Each structure stands twice: as C-alpha cells, then as structure tokens.
Amino acid sequence: MPCPICAKHRGEGPLVGPVVWADELVVVSHRPGDFPGYLFVETRRHVAHLDGLTEAEALGVARAAWVAARALQAELEPESVHSAIAGRGIAHFHQHVFVRHLGTPAKVGWMDVDWPGAPRADVDLLCGRLSAHFVR
C-alpha cells in the first residue's frame, strides 16, 4: 500500500496541508482544514518508527517539535500545547504537536478538532506567522 505521508510530501492526497517549515530531513505542516493549531512533524525519509531514525533525523525532529510548540504558544496563546507520537496504522514517522484552545469543553477529546464552537481560522495565514519562528 502506498504511504499517505510520502504522497503528502509530493503534494498529493487528503493529508496535504500548508507547510510551515521544512529542511532536508524534516517537514512541519498544518493539518488540513480550518481548525488552527494542529501540526505534524514528519521525517522526509520513509521510516516507520522513532527507533528507526538516524541521529540527525531524531535531533531534527526534536528541534522542529520544540520550535513548533513554542510557536503555537506564542501565536495562539492556547490553554496548552501537546505532543504525541502515535503513528499506528501509518508506517511513516510523524509527531503530532497541537493546541488545546482556551474554552475547549472538558468532554472534548485531546485530539478532537470539531465540536460546536470550535475555533476556525485561515490556517495559511497562521502558518506564515508560525514559519517565522523557525528562522535559526
């Protein structure tokens, strides 16, 4: 079965969202749709799990997730920023970095992005602001 994240990196398929930042090892992109503040940190190389990353990839992923979390905090001022490596079902390493917006109802699951009153925004504009945080 073709890898949906590899397809995403080619600009194909339903997972394609705005790219926030990328280098030769890592891609940071926003989840498709208009719910602001849900990013993915992915290796460019097709590798399934954390233990399969090279040291350079692991360091690149760690830095990208750290910058992404700080950028989301600065730009959205959420209740909190979370991260998870939970790639069951997709055999391409990816780390979720996402916010819990102020006022999110307690019954809303930690990865849910659609509920009555959920915030909506132009994520392309948000990604432009987030990308400025990745300048070294």
Side-chain angles (χ1 to χ4, degrees), residues 62-120:
R63 182 183 183 281
W66 175 72
V67 173
R70 292 170 60 93
L72 288 168
Q73 182 64 47
E75 296 298 329
L76 296 176
E77 299 179 355
E79 176 182 303
S80 54
V81 179
H82 301 275
S83 179
I85 298 172
R88 185 174 178 204
I90 296 181
H92 189 128
F93 180 85
H94 61 287
Q95 182 171 349
H96 303 244
V97 181
F98 54 97
V99 303
R100 186 158 183 95
H101 290 279
L102 290 170
T104 300
K107 66 181 179 186
V108 172
W110 65 284
M111 294 178 82
D112 292 340
V113 299
D114 197 18
W115 67 90
R120 301 293 180 218

Side-chain angles (χ1 to χ4, degrees), residues 2 5 9 15 29 33-34 39-40 43 45 49 53 59 69 74 82-84 88 95 105-106 119 121 127 130 135:
I5 294 177
H9 292 175
L15 300 181
S29 61
D34 59 358
L39 304 180
F40 297 101
T43 54
R45 184 172 67 96
H49 303 289
L53 302 181
L59 292 171
H82 301 275
S83 179
R88 185 174 178 204
Q95 182 171 349
C127 290
L130 293 171
V135 176

Side-chain angles (χ1 to χ4, degrees), residues 11-77:
E12 302 167 359
L15 300 181
V16 175
V19 173
V20 174
W21 178 84
D23 69 7
E24 65 279 358
L25 299 174
V26 176
V27 177
V28 178
S29 61
H30 197 285
R31 181 180 181 149
D34 59 358
F35 180 84
Y38 201 119
L39 304 180
F40 297 101
V41 178
E42 303 156 344
T43 54
R44 283 195 183 271
R45 184 172 67 96
H46 182 86
V47 58
H49 303 289
L50 183 61
D51 63 335
L53 302 181
T54 66
E55 182 177 1
E57 287 169 331
L59 292 171
V61 164
R63 182 183 183 281
W66 175 72
V67 173
R70 292 170 60 93
L72 288 168
Q73 182 64 47
E75 296 298 329
L76 296 176
E77 299 179 355

